[in-house]
């Protein structure tokens, strides 16, 4: 006999699984930042804040030591409203999904695959046709009313939102996945999604706002990020979808001769006979003597930084590319 009850958000559930979410159908991320896991069994006690129905990613990150920050149980992260294809539901409250907005050709031609808690998803809503907005603040929150209580905290740069009406007194109503009523964001924290490709300089300026953000393996947010996540998120702010992983990003971009790179281009790194393992954003035109600079999420120093390429990076530099 199955266990059936009505969940706190009014959804019918059986065996702990939201029956409105079905394999083969799309869903939307309903939390500010959802973490994509390699398997439900891979999560650790330290990961509880990232698994809660209302995630607390800053608390999750601050609770980890440097070794836990690079655990391979984390694959990627998805932002509020991001589309996924549900491929499997487990009675324990987990959904296997494909992140449709994070290309990963070597893993799945549809997008990046992994596991999410069912509570982090909402059934896909009808498309309204309204021109989308994008969060341009590094971090903001969605409120129940202008200046009212916080409904969704820790919403990050690059999150797409659908307008729910005109601005009023410096606030804009928006639709958010999993919320029936419009929520409110300070108007200055939003921008229209550009209709034209951005300049490399514009993308670099956005990426520079993430200086000193903590390095988190699989991170794709202003709370914590990895090297390819930094590139993915900076371009996402302008509506440009790049693959999630560095080797796929190399395939999706255009090589330029070393020496011809300019700020906003990408540096790729690989060891002999190995696939690309690191990526950075060019911050200055090269000068004689291999003096090159880049902005990158550095695994070794566990943060986003801008620096000249040290000798060990020069030794593994395999090319420069342009988006």
């Amino acid at each position: 006999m199955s266990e059936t009850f009505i969940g706190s958000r009014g959804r019918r559930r059986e065996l702990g699984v939201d029956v409105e979410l079905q394999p083969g159908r799309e869903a939307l991320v309903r939390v500010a930042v959802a973490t994509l896991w390699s398997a439900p069994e891979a999560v650790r006690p330290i990961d509880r804040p990232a698994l809660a129905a209302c995630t607390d990613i800053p608390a999750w990150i601050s609770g980890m030591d440097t070794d836990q920050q690079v655990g391979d149980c984390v694959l990627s992260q998805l932002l509020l409203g991001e589309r996924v294809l549900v491929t499997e539901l487990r009675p324990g409250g987990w959904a296997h999904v494909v992140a449709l907005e994070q290309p990963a050709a070597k893993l799945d031609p549809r997008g990046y695959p992994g596991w999410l808690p069912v509570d982090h998803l909402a059934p896909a809503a009808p498309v309204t046709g309204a021109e989308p907005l994008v969060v341009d603040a590094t971090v903001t929150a969605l409120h129940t009313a202008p200046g009212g209580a916080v409904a969704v905290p820790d919403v990050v740069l690059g999150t797409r939102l659908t307008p729910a009406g005109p601005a009023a007194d410096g606030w804009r109503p928006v639709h958010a996945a999993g919320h029936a009523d419009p929520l409110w964001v300070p108007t200055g924290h939003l921008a229209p999604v550009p209709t034209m490709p951005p300049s490399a300089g514009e993308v670099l300026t956005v990426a520079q706002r993430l200086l000193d953000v903590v390095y988190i393996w699989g991170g794709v947010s202003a709370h914590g990020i990895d090297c390819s996540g930094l590139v993915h998120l900076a371009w996402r702010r302008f509506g440009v979808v790049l693959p999630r992983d560095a080797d796929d990003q190399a395939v999706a971009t255009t090589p330029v001769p070393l020496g011809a790179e300019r700020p906003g281009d990408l540096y790729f790194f690989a060891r002999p006979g190995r696939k690309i393992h690191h990526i950075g954003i060019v911050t200055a035109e090269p000068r004689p003597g291999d003096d090159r600079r880049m902005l990158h999420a550095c695994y070794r120093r566990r943060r986003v930084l801008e620096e000249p390429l040290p000798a060990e990076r020069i030794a593994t530099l395999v090319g420069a590319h342009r988006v």
Side-chain angles (χ1 to χ4, degrees):
M1 184 173 69
S2 66
E3 175 191 5
T4 302
F5 63 98
I6 303 299
S8 60
R9 291 188 295 280
R11 299 179 191 151
R12 181 167 169 268
R13 301 187 68 165
E14 296 182 1
L15 293 175
V17 171
D18 189 323
V19 297
E20 294 184 31
L21 302 173
Q22 296 184 22
R25 293 188 179 181
E26 289 190 18
L28 301 175
V29 172
R30 61 169 298 276
V31 294
V33 180
T35 301
L36 193 69
W37 305 90
S38 60
E41 300 80 15
V43 299
R44 308 155 296 184
I46 194 69
D47 299 323
R48 283 196 189 94
L51 300 170
C54 181
T55 58
D56 190 342
I57 301 301
W60 175 56
I61 291 172
S62 66
M64 288 191 284
D65 60 32
T66 54
D67 289 335
Q68 292 165 332
Q69 290 169 357
V70 295
D72 59 5
C73 55
V74 174
L75 299 176
S76 187
Q77 289 182 317
L78 290 75
L79 306 188
L80 175 68
E82 193 164 339
R83 295 166 47 243
V84 303
L85 175 67
V86 178
T87 58
E88 181 185 344
L89 293 172
R90 282 192 181 178
W94 284 88
H96 188 270
V97 304
V98 174
L100 299 172
E101 299 173 49
Q102 297 191 21
K106 67 182 182 297
L107 300 175
D108 190 308
R110 299 169 296 180
Y112 215 105
W115 291 88
L116 292 176
V118 168
D119 279 348
H120 293 180
L121 297 174
V127 178
T128 66
E131 293 296 325
L133 301 168
V134 63
V135 172
D136 190 45
T138 306
V139 180
T140 189
L142 307 188
H143 299 251
T144 56
V150 171
V152 184
D154 304 322
V155 176
V156 298
L157 175 77
T159 299
R160 284 201 186 194
L161 297 167
T162 303
D169 299 323
W171 292 80
R172 187 74 186 264
V174 296
H175 296 293
H179 294 265
D181 297 324
L183 300 177
W184 295 79
V185 191
T187 304
H189 292 184
L190 300 170
V193 175
T195 57
M196 299 293 292
S199 69
E202 288 175 316
V203 178
L204 176 58
T205 297
V206 166
Q208 288 171 328
R209 289 164 52 190
L210 300 174
L211 275 167
D212 291 322
V213 168
V214 175
Y215 182 100
I216 296 293
W217 182 273
V220 190
S221 86
H223 304 302
I225 205 160
D226 67 13
C227 65
S228 55
L230 175 65
V231 172
H232 177 87
L233 185 62
W235 284 93
R236 178 190 183 123
R237 156 62 183 85
F238 295 95
V240 178
V241 177
L242 288 182
R244 173 62 184 87
D245 290 342
D247 52 345
D248 289 328
Q249 290 171 347
V251 174
T253 52
T254 303
V256 297
L258 282 173
E261 66 269 27
R262 58 187 187 224
D265 288 342
L266 305 172
Y267 283 135
F268 290 93
F269 302 85
R271 298 178 182 88
R274 306 285 293 277
K275 72 176 185 177
I276 288 168
H277 67 271
H278 191 60
I279 185 173
I281 304 174
V282 179
T283 58
E285 294 185 3
R287 293 183 292 186
D290 282 339
D291 184 7
R292 294 182 162 92
R293 301 188 67 90
M294 71 174 178
L295 176 78
H296 66 133
C298 182
Y299 177 97
R300 296 167 184 166
R301 294 172 65 180
R302 298 291 200 272
R303 64 184 178 91
V304 177
L305 53 89
E306 196 271 343
E307 64 176 352
L309 269 62
E312 61 269 23
R313 291 290 186 201
I314 292 289
T316 57
L317 177 62
V318 294
H321 288 219
R322 187 164 297 155
V323 177

